Amino acid sequence: MSQPTTWDHPEPLAVSSAPVPHYGTGSLADLLPTLAAGMDVPGMSAAIPELAPADRNCVFLIDGLGWEQLLAHPDEAPFMSALIGSSRGDTGRPITAGYPATTATSLASVGTGLPPGAHGLPGYTVRNPDTGELMNQLRWQPWTDPRAWQPYPTVFQLAHEAGVHTAQVSSPTFENTPLTKIALSGGTFRGKLSGEDRMDLAAEQLAAGDRSLVYTYYAEVDGKGHRFGVDSDAWRGQLMYVDRLVQRLAEQLPPRAALYVTADHGMIDIPFDEQHRIDFDEDWELRAGVALLGGEGRARHVYAVPGAQSDVLTCWREVLGEQFWVASRDEAIAAGWFGPTVDERVYGRIGDVVAAARDDVLIVASEREPRESVMVGNHGSMTPAEQLVPLLQVRS
Ligand SMILES: [Zn+2]
């Protein structure tokens, strides 16, 4: 007679084995404070000391262009590849995005200069402790008071108050979104549809002040990666295009300027089979005791029904084995996944169980998340492919 065993589930991974983002020494949250400190904005400190101060600083954020993907495609990105290890300064090293490696979280880290545990956008979807509902951090649904959700000033606002000319040059559709308001506001938002127009305007804005801080953004590398994969023709085409955008901006830098090219996260392609795509909606073991499933396929927040927290943790560990780092909320916080501290208002937004993918696997939810569940390229976790993002530098 067979005994109940977990023979098909390997040992769970120790939470402490997860490669935690480099908060405070080399993460996205450290970039703008370092640049602002170099422009004498009060209260800012240079956490990335090798970035020499400049009077005019521009950050170009390429959505979804991870460090490893850039390294793997030098032919499609000759300009950016030449900046890696270039002799023109301390350029071309990766920094970490932050956990989870997802757009809403990373944009908030960039703009506020704070890790997710402080700015409070610790996932793609997270539970709002006040309503008990899931909230989508990218689309801001359902609507929630932005200032209560993320009360800290942005680095742009602090720089603007200190007399630095600040501007954000992005898609017009983002001008009035809550995410822009809480992460990127301060100074002037300028919307331009074409990438070329954005580069030209960013250069113009950079020259518009003696001291200036300008942010610009391009989305479609991420978009094509999600739909077709990070090695697809469509993705490669986007990489070639964005490489030319970087060059276009670099060639227009005004005097005393520095351009930093970075990204909000990398990406990893996930095969389409049941081994690599575990369907939460079809898996009674993973569903047991779960009230809400948040996050995304490679970075799950699991909210248990009251009293079931430890059962859910045990079950997720057994089912997922070595494929995921599975932590209780307190373990994840203590291990520093969300930064050195987690604000009280943010605590309940984090799952009772937090599951971060280690292998090329996903926890999809075919019924709850039909659109997200069919994406080729994915991101969110702490693997180098997702977590490491470029920090390339061009100085005039
Ligand atoms: Zn994405």
Side-chain angles (χ1 to χ4, degrees):
M1 175 181 151
S2 67
Q3 295 176 12
T5 65
T6 55
W7 60 271
D8 56 342
H9 303 307
E11 281 295 296
L13 276 178
V15 171
S16 60
S17 71
V20 174
H22 301 162
Y23 300 115
T25 55
S27 76
L28 277 180
D30 304 310
L31 178 57
L32 256 56
T34 300
L35 307 185
M39 294 185 289
D40 299 323
V41 175
M44 298 284 111
S45 62
I48 312 178
E50 68 264 35
L51 303 186
D55 294 331
R56 295 165 165 151
N57 292 280
C58 184
V59 171
F60 181 11
L61 191 141
I62 301 169
D63 201 317
L65 181 58
W67 171 252
E68 293 202 337
Q69 297 92 63
L70 178 60
L71 285 188
H73 294 89
D75 293 344
E76 288 84 354
F79 188 79
M80 285 191 275
S81 297
L83 295 175
I84 297 169
S86 135
S87 57
R88 297 190 65 199
D90 304 292
T91 60
R93 74 143 166 150
I95 55 175
T96 62
Y99 184 80
T102 199
T103 298
T105 305
S106 290
L107 292 189
S109 298
V110 168
T112 63
L114 299 168
H119 65 58
L121 280 73
Y124 172 62
T125 60
V126 298
R127 182 178 62 182
N128 179 344
D130 294 335
T131 64
E133 286 182 307
L134 277 184
M135 185 188 155
N136 184 303
Q137 306 281 274
L138 200 58
R139 306 196 172 85
W140 216 262
Q141 291 167 344
W143 193 88
T144 309
D145 178 11
R147 290 277 176 246
W149 195 258
Q150 197 300 93
Y152 294 101
T154 68
V155 178
F156 296 103
Q157 288 168 331
L158 298 172
H160 183 67
E161 282 166 20
V164 174
H165 177 75
T166 58
Q168 301 82 31
V169 182
S170 188
S171 165
T173 50
F174 298 142
E175 179 162 3
N176 296 307
T177 66
L179 184 59
T180 296
K181 192 183 290 280
I182 57 103
L184 301 168
S185 62
T188 321
F189 185 101
R190 301 289 299 272
K192 287 282 178 192
L193 278 175
S194 94
E196 288 84 355
D197 286 350
R198 279 183 216 157
M199 298 304 107
D200 298 351
L201 186 58
E204 197 183 300
Q205 288 295 312
L206 205 53
D210 281 338
R211 291 181 301 157
S212 51
L213 178 62
V214 175
Y215 164 91
T216 188
Y217 171 84
Y218 185 73
E220 263 312 291
V221 175
D222 181 71
K224 292 292 185 284
H226 281 306
R227 245 184 307 169
F228 305 109
V230 294
D231 210 17
S232 60
D233 284 348
W235 185 89
R236 286 166 183 258
Q238 283 296 317
L239 180 57
M240 289 164 73
Y241 175 65
V242 83
D243 192 66
R244 296 178 61 138
L245 291 183
V246 173
Q247 182 170 5
R248 184 182 181 108
L249 178 50
E251 287 173 355
Q252 296 183 71
L253 289 183
R256 298 181 285 113
L259 165 64
Y260 296 99
V261 180
T262 190
D264 52 349
H265 55 74
M267 193 171 275
I268 178 171
D269 288 353
I270 308 297
F272 280 85
D273 60 49
E274 283 178 14
Q275 272 162 354
H276 296 88
R277 292 173 181 254
I278 302 158
D279 191 350
F280 175 84
D281 287 329
E282 301 280 325
D283 191 313
W284 64 270
E285 278 186 296
L286 289 181
R287 279 207 317 273
V290 174
L292 277 179
L293 179 72
E296 58 203 296
R298 294 184 56 77
R300 285 296 182 189
H301 288 292
V302 190
Y303 306 94
V305 298
Q309 288 92 338
S310 76
D311 288 344
V312 171
L313 178 63
T314 304
C315 185
W316 275 59
R317 280 199 166 130
E318 281 195 13
V319 170
L320 298 174
E322 284 191 342
Q323 296 178 298
F324 275 73
W325 292 286
V326 181
S328 70
R329 176 193 291 126
D330 288 339
E331 285 170 341
I333 291 172
W337 290 13
F338 300 98
T341 56
V342 168
D343 283 11
E344 205 179 313
R345 66 176 215 299
V346 182
Y347 184 81
R349 299 177 193 174
I350 295 170
D352 296 299
V353 173
V354 186
R358 177 175 167 261
D359 296 342
D360 53 346
V361 287
L362 285 180
I363 296 169
V364 297
S366 57
E367 285 167 35
R368 275 154 240 250
E369 302 169 351
R371 270 188 334 145
E372 290 89 342
S373 295
V374 295
M375 294 189 306
V376 182
N378 288 268
H379 52 81
S381 191
M382 284 178 275
T383 68
E386 300 154 279
Q387 193 58 230
L388 298 183
V389 293
L391 182 59
L392 309 177
Q393 184 180 177
V394 182
R395 300 179 79 93
S396 57

